[in-house]
Amino acid sequence: MNNGEQIMKKLAPSILSADFSRLGEQASQISQAGADYVHVDVMDGHFVPNISFGAAVMKSLNKWNTSPYDVHLMIEHPDDYLADFVTEKTEYIVVHQEACVHLHRTLQNIKSKGVKCGVAINPATPVSTLDCILEDVDLVLVMSVNPGFGGQKFIPAAIEKIKQLDQQRKKNGYGYVIEIDGGISLDNIREVAAAGCDIFVAGSAVFGAEDIEKRVKEFKERLE
Ligand code: DX5
Ligand code: ZN
């Protein structure tokens, strides 16, 4: 699907930065304003130095009118928890390369559950570590901050990784989409888009805005 074909660029606000006491309402708000995905950041306090929320919280959103979920598992032993995150609204489940000893097997496990599979790489992890699985993956997530917290500064070296991934898929006819996560703002999103990125996660830049819906629309306009 990526053989030179233009892919629609998509916005995935991260509910990590939402007001958890009004999570359903806010997830629904961003979705109605045009967010393409609800980015679900799951942290276990081991793989990353922070704990966020688990599958029960995500599932509580199913009754709200939201966009599909893009689930980012920042956890060790993700295979043990995959089934919990599969719901009728789950489109992608993304695991970390650094957390998976048997990455190929984990990706097959995700697919076998009827959802799309993705792999994320930390800022210190080169794209080349994914060479053997790029053919099998639906999404590659490039971390542009060290995972664990919202509101951190964008690490510019991520742009080179996006370019590499875009070149590789064009060269080999691979079908994955490329996602960026961390420090995305109205000021840098166009530069990342120009590098070949397709899906843009934004947490604090969306939920920190005074008018969340207006901010989603501003982001979407920059992706047109
Ligand atoms: C970081 C998370 C991100 C984070 C992005 O570990 O994976 O999704 O919420 O937040 P901002 O956009 O504030 O950097
Ligand atoms: Zn994330």
Side-chain angles (χ1 to χ4, degrees):
M1 100 176 140
N2 291 311
N3 298 322
E5 193 185 317
Q6 192 66 30
I7 302 166
M8 279 278 289
K9 299 203 181 283
K10 295 181 170 172
L11 181 69
S14 165
I15 52 169
L16 183 67
S17 295
D19 176 349
F20 287 172
S21 69
R22 297 193 297 139
L23 194 54
E25 194 187 311
Q26 291 201 338
S28 181
Q29 231 180 356
I30 52 155
S31 302
Q32 300 321 304
D36 300 282
Y37 294 102
V38 173
H39 185 80
V40 178
D41 278 316
V42 180
M43 303 178 179
D44 65 354
H46 293 279
F47 180 66
V48 289
N50 193 13
I51 298 174
S52 58
F53 50 76
V57 170
M58 187 194 87
K59 282 179 185 162
S60 74
L61 296 176
N62 280 8
K63 61 178 183 289
W64 292 81
N65 187 11
T66 74
S67 306
Y69 307 147
D70 150 35
V71 182
H72 180 192
L73 295 181
M74 287 162 276
I75 65 174
E76 289 177 0
H77 308 296
D79 294 81
D80 296 348
Y81 302 94
L82 293 177
D84 293 344
F85 289 95
V86 177
T87 74
E88 68 269 21
K89 285 197 178 178
T90 309
E91 182 161 335
Y92 291 101
I93 294 184
V94 181
V95 293
H96 266 264
Q97 185 273 353
E98 303 85 359
C100 296
V101 180
H102 304 290
L103 179 59
H104 184 272
R105 178 185 290 153
T106 302
L107 295 170
Q108 302 307 320
N109 280 345
I110 297 173
K111 283 195 211 177
S112 74
K113 298 191 176 346
V115 296
K116 294 180 188 164
C117 68
V119 62
I121 48 172
N122 282 336
T125 306
V127 169
S128 58
T129 58
L130 304 179
D131 281 355
C132 299
I133 53 87
L134 281 180
E135 197 175 351
D136 302 300
V137 82
D138 299 306
L139 178 149
V140 180
L141 192 170
V142 174
M143 288 304 304
S144 39
V145 298
N146 286 293
F149 304 93
Q152 302 180 77
K153 201 167 167 281
F154 182 80
I155 299 171
I159 291 183
E160 194 46 45
K161 291 187 187 177
I162 301 277
K163 287 182 184 166
Q164 284 175 29
L165 284 161
D166 189 37
Q167 277 163 11
Q168 286 209 44
R169 70 177 167 182
K170 283 180 179 147
K171 188 170 135 219
N172 299 302
Y174 293 151
Y176 55 79
V177 292
I178 307 170
E179 181 172 41
I180 191 131
D181 186 0
I184 291 296
S185 68
L186 290 174
D187 295 331
N188 63 16
I189 194 165
R190 277 200 178 125
E191 188 186 357
V192 184
C197 191
D198 310 299
I199 306 180
F200 304 79
V201 177
S204 51
V206 169
F207 290 99
E210 215 164 289
D211 185 336
I212 293 171
E213 290 173 41
K214 185 167 160 248
R215 183 55 56 85
V216 167
K217 288 178 185 147
E218 287 168 345
F219 266 112
K220 290 285 291 184
E221 274 164 26
R222 277 172 170 66
L223 294 176
E224 277 169 7

